[in-house]
Amino acid sequence: MMKSNSFGEIVKRERLKQGMSLKKLSEAVMPFNNGEQINPSYIFRIENKEQINPSFTIVAILSSVLNLDMREVFRAYGFEQLIMERDSSSNYDFNDLMRLHNISIMDENRSIRRNLSNKEKEAILSLMEAVFQYTSDVGNKTDDLITVLKTAEYLKTVQKNEANIRNAFEVSYYSSTYTVHLDSVLHIGEKEFEAVRKSISEFIKQNYNTLLDLSQGIIELEVGGEEWLARKENYDLFLLTKKSKIHKV
C-alpha cells in the first residue's frame, strides 16, 4: 500500500514549489482568514509534524491558498473515501481537471518531463478562455485577439518566473531559513532534484552551528555522493561546481 504524505508534507511541498517563504504564506492567508495571518512558526510546526492536528479551519485555509489537491488532503487524514470516485461516464469541468491533477509537460529544453505549477495552470486556463472567446461568433474580434496575445505573453512570463523558482528551494531548521540556489545543476529531473534537496538539507542540519558562524565564504558539501563547492552569503547558498571539475595547476 502506498504511503500517504502527511498534511504538513503536502503543505511544505506545494509551498516550496510555488516559491513561497513561510512569511509569504502567512501573509497570503489573510484574505481567507478575516485579514489575519497564521504565524509562520505555526506553519513550520505543521510542516515538520510538530503540530499534527491543526484545526479544520487552518487545513481549509492552507488548502485554499496553496490550491491543494483535496483528494490528497483527505487521504492524509485517512478519509479519501469521502471523495466520490469518478467513472468514465462522468462529466468533468476542465478547470477542475487542471487544478486537481498533476499535468506533466516537457521542460523548456525538451529534455525531461515536469509538472505544471498552479500558476502555470491558471495562466493556461485564462489563455484557453481567451482563445475560445476569439473563435466564438460574438464580441469584437480585434479586442479578443489582443486579449489572446496579452494572455499568451503573461503565460510566458509565468513560465519564466516558475523556471527561476525551480532553480532554488528553502531549508528551514530551528529559527533559520536558508535559500539554496541551483544554477549549476539546471535541467535536472524531479528525482534528481529531490536527491539534491535532501542531501543539502541534511548538510545544513548537520552543520547548523558552523554555518551560523560563517557569514560569507566558500564551503564544501556532499551532493549525491559527490563533493561540491558552494558560496554562502548570509542565508543564501549558491551551488557552484563539482570539485572534480576544478583542474589542479
Side-chain angles (χ1 to χ4, degrees):
M1 184 176 180
M2 183 177 66
K3 179 182 179 296
S4 300
N5 291 323
S6 68
F7 177 67
E9 289 172 328
I10 298 169
V11 168
K12 186 173 185 178
R13 182 193 69 208
E14 296 304 314
R15 175 178 67 81
L16 294 177
K17 276 186 180 180
Q18 296 176 41
M20 299 178 72
S21 66
L22 289 167
K23 185 176 185 296
K24 285 184 180 178
L25 178 55
S26 74
E27 295 171 347
V29 307
M30 293 174 65
F32 300 84
N33 196 35
N34 298 319
E36 296 183 1
Q37 297 183 21
I38 297 176
N39 194 299
S41 64
Y42 185 78
I43 300 175
F44 177 81
R45 293 198 298 274
I46 291 175
E47 291 184 346
N48 291 275
K49 302 181 185 179
E50 296 173 17
Q51 175 63 49
I52 60 175
N53 192 29
S55 69
F56 176 79
T57 300
I58 295 296
V59 172
I61 289 172
L62 291 176
S63 297
S64 297
V65 173
L66 294 170
N67 196 22
L68 301 183
D69 182 342
M70 292 311 297
R71 181 182 295 278
E72 187 177 19
V73 172
F74 273 65
R75 184 189 300 134
Y77 288 101
F79 292 102
E80 184 183 12
Q81 69 275 12
L82 294 180
I83 300 181
M84 294 180 60
E85 293 291 336
R86 301 180 187 267
D87 58 47
S88 58
S89 63
S90 298
N91 291 320
Y92 302 115
D93 181 282
F94 188 79
N95 288 3
D96 288 342
L97 284 175
M98 282 285 286
R99 290 170 175 148
L100 297 178
H101 295 81
N102 289 328
I103 309 295
S104 65
I105 61 169
M106 295 299 293
D107 75 343
E108 293 79 2
N109 294 296
R110 304 196 64 79
S111 57
I112 60 170
R113 296 197 68 83
R114 66 173 182 83
N115 289 335
L116 289 172
S117 70
N118 290 332
K119 289 183 179 179
E120 286 175 306
K121 290 179 183 179
E122 293 301 324
I124 289 171
L125 289 174
S126 296
L127 179 58
M128 291 181 61
E129 182 179 347
V131 170
F132 281 127
Q133 177 63 35
Y134 175 68
T135 57
S136 70
D137 294 328
V138 297
N140 185 306
K141 296 300 103 179
T142 300
D143 289 344
D144 290 344
L145 179 58
I146 291 174
T147 300
V148 169
L149 295 176
K150 286 183 176 179
T151 311
E153 283 299 315
Y154 173 69
L155 174 59
K156 288 173 63 176
T157 299
V158 169
Q159 289 182 318
K160 182 178 180 180
N161 291 338
E162 292 297 302
N164 291 334
I165 289 171
R166 290 194 301 275
N167 295 341
F169 62 88
E170 288 183 344
V171 178
S172 297
Y173 191 60
Y174 288 121
S175 59
S176 301
T177 299
Y178 287 92
T179 301
V180 182
H181 304 268
L182 301 177
D183 293 342
S184 296
V185 287
L186 300 182
H187 314 310
I188 59 177
E190 187 171 347
K191 289 184 178 180
E192 290 85 355
F193 175 84
E194 282 303 311
V196 170
R197 185 192 63 78
K198 183 176 180 181
S199 293
I200 297 179
S201 297
E202 287 300 318
F203 172 83
I204 290 174
K205 293 174 182 179
Q206 293 172 4
N207 298 273
Y208 179 74
N209 291 327
T210 302
L211 290 173
L212 282 181
D213 293 336
L214 177 66
S215 175
Q216 297 182 348
I218 302 297
I219 61 175
E220 297 181 9
L221 67 161
E222 184 177 307
V223 179
E226 295 186 275
E227 292 295 322
W228 280 73
L229 296 179
R231 184 176 79 254
K232 182 179 186 295
E233 295 182 5
N234 299 316
Y235 289 98
D236 288 282
L237 287 178
F238 299 87
L239 212 58
L240 299 176
T241 185
K242 296 178 182 178
K243 285 188 66 177
S244 59
K245 290 187 176 181
I246 300 177
H247 298 288
K248 295 182 179 180
V249 179

